[in-house]
Amino acid sequence: MVEYKQFKIVFDTALERDLLKILEEEKIEQYQIFPGLKGSWEKEKKHLNTHVWPGTDSVLVLIVEKNIAERLLEKYKRLKNEMDYYITFKIIVQPVDVYVP
């Protein structure tokens, strides 16, 4: 039986090209991006696409086999560690109990 993992990556929309490049390298064509999200992390830190803090975040969602998930996670962690500034880039990986493609 094949094991699957679900990725949810919450990211500043400015990172989209870099995240998709990694998917292209792994030849992954099936994913969803939910754009234009607004969020809040702390009482004083709200990301609301205003003139003070322009832009929004997005969420990338995909389901892949476990071995591919491990490679993706390493590449995304490397990208995150190489960044020399802080923007939204959170990675969540969860097991998938049932997946019917």
Side-chain angles (χ1 to χ4, degrees):
M1 186 168 158
V2 178
E3 284 186 63
Y4 291 94
K5 299 286 184 176
Q6 179 186 52
F7 271 76
K8 292 180 193 148
I9 302 176
V10 180
F11 64 96
D12 185 298
T13 305
L15 287 174
E16 184 171 330
R17 187 178 322 164
D18 296 327
L19 300 180
L20 294 182
K21 182 179 177 187
I22 290 172
L23 294 182
E24 289 173 14
E25 290 171 1
E26 292 292 326
K27 300 189 179 9
I28 296 172
E29 298 176 350
Q30 295 181 345
Y31 58 86
Q32 296 289 320
I33 293 180
F34 299 91
L37 302 177
K38 297 179 182 180
S40 174
W41 296 271
E42 296 175 16
K43 186 176 181 180
E44 291 83 29
K45 293 183 180 177
K46 298 185 185 313
H47 198 354
L48 302 174
N49 195 25
T50 64
H51 68 283
V52 175
W53 190 344
T56 57
D57 292 336
S58 298
V59 174
L60 170 68
V61 177
L62 66 141
I63 297 173
V64 293
E65 292 180 12
K66 182 181 177 184
N67 62 327
I68 296 170
E70 291 168 354
R71 290 196 310 263
L72 282 175
L73 183 57
E74 286 307 311
K75 289 182 178 187
Y76 285 134
K77 285 165 86 176
R78 191 174 319 123
L79 175 63
K80 185 173 176 74
N81 289 334
E82 290 173 356
M83 294 173 58
D84 55 356
Y85 52 92
Y86 177 80
I87 60 175
T88 305
F89 188 10
K90 300 170 194 265
I91 305 165
I92 303 159
V93 182
Q94 298 173 301
V96 174
D97 293 333
V98 177
Y99 177 56
V100 181

